[in-house]
Amino acid sequence: MLKGKKILVGITGGIAAYKIPLLVRLLRKAGAEVKVVMTPAAKDFVTPLTLSTLTGHPVWSDFFNPADGSWHSHVELGLWADLFVIAPVTATTLGKMHHGIADNLLLATYLSARCPVMLAPAMDLDMYKHPSTTNNIKALEQYGNIIIAPGSGELASGLCGEGRMEEPENIFQRIKDFLAFDKMFEGKKVLITAGPTYEPIDPVRFIGNHSSGRMGIEIAKVFANRGAKVTLVLGPTQLSVNHPSIELLPVTTAVEMFEACMALSQTSDIMVMSAAVADYRPLKPSDKKIKKQDENLSLELVKNPDILKTLGRNKKSGQMLVGFALETDNAVENARIKLTTKGADLIVLNSLADEGAGFGHNTNKVSLITAEATEHLPLMPKSEVAAHIADKINRMLLQLQ
Ligand code: C5P
């Protein structure tokens, strides 16, 4: 099932390294070709001999071979791999990866790899909870790495808590799931909007909203990881993403977002409008800061262009258009009306009523609404919601053929 897949396994110096030969064994048994790169500290926990025997390849660890002075190319290793899985990843390596420090072969390979990278952090619970670790993981996730979060359980220190590397069988499953889909959208161009828009009132004030853009960013990552070329038109947000198959187009206002989408719509196969676009903008933003004067201040607002609706009107046959909806009353009914009025093929209905769903959360609860059916999904991480949306679009595209 992994026949012909090239998997580079990176091992860093944590006690969980002793479990990696089992992961390598599972990958080999499933037909993958495996090479191993390890940090010098990892060799204290698991021997290169074990890993070279299991993989049938030498194990890479030094920049050059001291016996004959030959150079070990981190670039070649990175280019060879379809997927780079680093497990366990220690707190030190997380920090170095975040800051671009490449003082060993594994880190240099990471920095030059063009393939998707999965990281399975493992450390003691207090190290895992430390803000610097949390920030490093967050940043690495934003760089486009796939994080396999550690589980909870007994740790090597004798303490019990979060930080235990995910079991090799589960890492293997994640790899299988990931690679099963890696060509699903090959050759497809995907246009995604995400985040809020800011509509200027004057040079220092704007009308905006609380959208973080996370849902749209996760959708962009899923499409990119499954072979698509993605353009992400992203409104102003703290979040970002760095992925070789995602072109990021930052915009501020709804009109800028509209113009970016119009320029790209003709060449896009799939368009997912997840941005929380402001419906109105101030008619005449002041070019000077508005002074506090009278008791009341009136702003005249004008309607922004509806990007989704415009795309729906001009949709070419074979193009797939997805919109989002956030409704408080008669949610499904209204979302279904939106499907027709906006000319979309699929509406993702956000739940406002459920705790942990919507703006600012890492989880979301949505329903997928098409002309034929309504599918209610349970509360789940936004990355999984994104995978469900991509699966649904794939099924719809297959039906079109
Ligand atoms: O009409 P409403 O704002 O409820 O519709 C939400 C959907 O329409 C979302 O997919 C959103 O991205 C999109 N939208 C848009 N342009 C607007 C307003 C909303 O593309 N001006």
Side-chain angles (χ1 to χ4, degrees):
M1 83 210 62
L2 291 180
K3 213 168 167 1
K5 296 289 181 195
K6 297 189 185 100
I7 300 176
L8 181 61
V9 173
I11 311 176
T12 77
I15 180 64
Y18 84 90
K19 296 182 177 178
I20 300 307
L22 175 58
L23 174 64
V24 171
R25 186 79 199 102
L26 290 168
L27 292 169
R28 293 283 288 139
K29 259 170 103 176
E33 197 182 339
V34 182
K35 290 185 180 178
V36 170
V37 57
M38 57 204 296
T39 61
K43 291 193 230 169
D44 292 333
F45 295 95
V46 59
T47 72
L49 181 60
T50 307
L51 293 155
S52 63
T53 309
L54 288 174
T55 58
H57 287 290
V59 165
W60 282 265
S61 186
D62 301 304
F63 281 108
F64 62 92
N65 181 350
D68 60 8
S70 61
W71 170 249
H72 293 154
S73 169
H74 54 90
V75 176
E76 256 168 46
L77 262 186
L79 289 181
W80 170 83
D82 295 316
L83 178 68
F84 189 8
V85 183
I86 312 181
V89 194
T90 57
T92 302
T93 297
L94 285 175
K96 288 182 181 178
M97 289 170 102
H98 175 193
H99 294 289
I101 297 167
D103 63 355
N104 62 46
L105 188 70
L106 183 147
L107 287 159
T109 307
Y110 165 70
L111 278 185
S112 50
R114 290 193 193 157
C115 62
V117 180
M118 282 185 171
L119 304 175
M123 65 204 72
D124 216 49
L125 78 163
D126 294 307
M127 293 173 86
Y128 183 63
K129 268 201 229 133
H130 195 281
S132 68
T133 305
T134 319
N135 286 338
N136 287 334
I137 292 178
K138 228 187 258 165
L140 288 167
E141 198 171 17
Q142 282 196 18
Y143 292 167
N145 300 287
I146 300 153
I147 307 292
I148 303 178
S152 227
E154 209 175 293
L155 299 163
S157 61
L159 297 172
C160 203
E162 249 184 326
R164 197 184 148 102
M165 187 184 78
E166 185 56 280
E167 292 304 330
E169 291 84 353
N170 295 340
I171 298 178
F172 173 63
Q173 190 59 46
R174 290 283 293 267
I175 294 171
K176 264 196 324 185
D177 289 348
F178 181 79
L179 290 177
F181 296 125
D182 67 337
K183 301 271 188 291
M184 185 187 264
F185 294 109
E186 195 160 49
K188 298 275 183 226
K189 289 196 175 145
V190 182
L191 170 64
I192 298 173
T193 64
T197 63
Y198 285 179
E199 310 301 327
I201 296 171
D202 68 16
V204 293
R205 304 180 179 98
F206 57 84
I207 297 174
N209 61 67
H210 291 298
S211 168
S212 65
R214 189 182 298 280
M215 193 61 248
I217 288 174
E218 291 300 337
I219 296 171
K221 287 198 308 203
V222 169
F223 276 108
N225 286 336
R226 295 183 183 187
K229 283 266 165 257
V230 178
T231 305
L232 177 63
V233 183
L234 184 62
T237 162
Q238 304 277 11
L239 300 180
S240 188
V241 62
N242 190 339
H243 189 294
S245 295
I246 302 178
E247 189 192 351
L248 198 62
L249 282 185
V251 295
T252 305
T253 65
V255 170
E256 285 169 15
M257 191 174 269
F258 175 82
E259 281 165 2
C261 289
M262 290 310 118
L264 290 160
S265 61
Q266 286 305 302
T267 50
S268 300
D269 302 297
I270 300 166
M271 300 177 286
V272 183
M273 300 293 108
S274 70
V277 187
D279 289 325
Y280 294 91
R281 67 177 183 279
L283 172 65
K284 285 194 197 114
S286 164
D287 50 10
K288 294 210 175 72
K289 186 177 171 213
I290 299 171
K291 284 236 172 272
K292 187 169 26 178
Q293 280 167 342
D294 303 333
E295 276 309 301
N296 298 322
L297 172 73
S298 296
L299 280 176
E300 191 175 353
L301 304 178
V302 282
K303 218 172 192 172
N304 270 325
D306 190 321
I307 306 167
L308 179 62
K309 204 171 184 174
T310 313
L311 293 176
R313 251 191 238 128
N314 300 309
K315 197 156 72 83
K316 295 188 298 183
S317 85
Q319 259 184 337
M320 185 65 59
L321 179 62
V322 182
F324 273 65
L326 187 80
E327 302 284 343
T328 42
D329 305 310
N330 303 325
V332 173
E333 205 176 296
N334 282 328
R336 205 160 268 295
I337 293 172
K338 202 163 280 184
L339 192 70
T340 326
T341 53
K342 303 246 190 183
D345 301 288
L346 169 67
I347 290 283
V348 181
L349 172 64
N350 278 290
S351 160
L352 251 193
D354 293 276
E355 210 170 292
F359 282 164
H361 292 285
N362 285 334
T363 47
N364 206 4
K365 191 170 173 203
V366 303
S367 305
L368 304 182
I369 297 173
T370 59
E372 292 80 29
T374 299
E375 218 177 296
H376 299 289
L377 301 179
L379 186 72
M380 58 179 84
K382 284 185 174 167
S383 54
E384 282 175 34
V385 176
H388 276 275
I389 295 170
D391 286 342
K392 179 81 185 174
I393 294 171
N394 185 50
R395 287 199 298 276
M396 292 167 74
L397 283 172
L398 290 175
Q399 273 166 13
L400 279 185
Q401 282 173 7

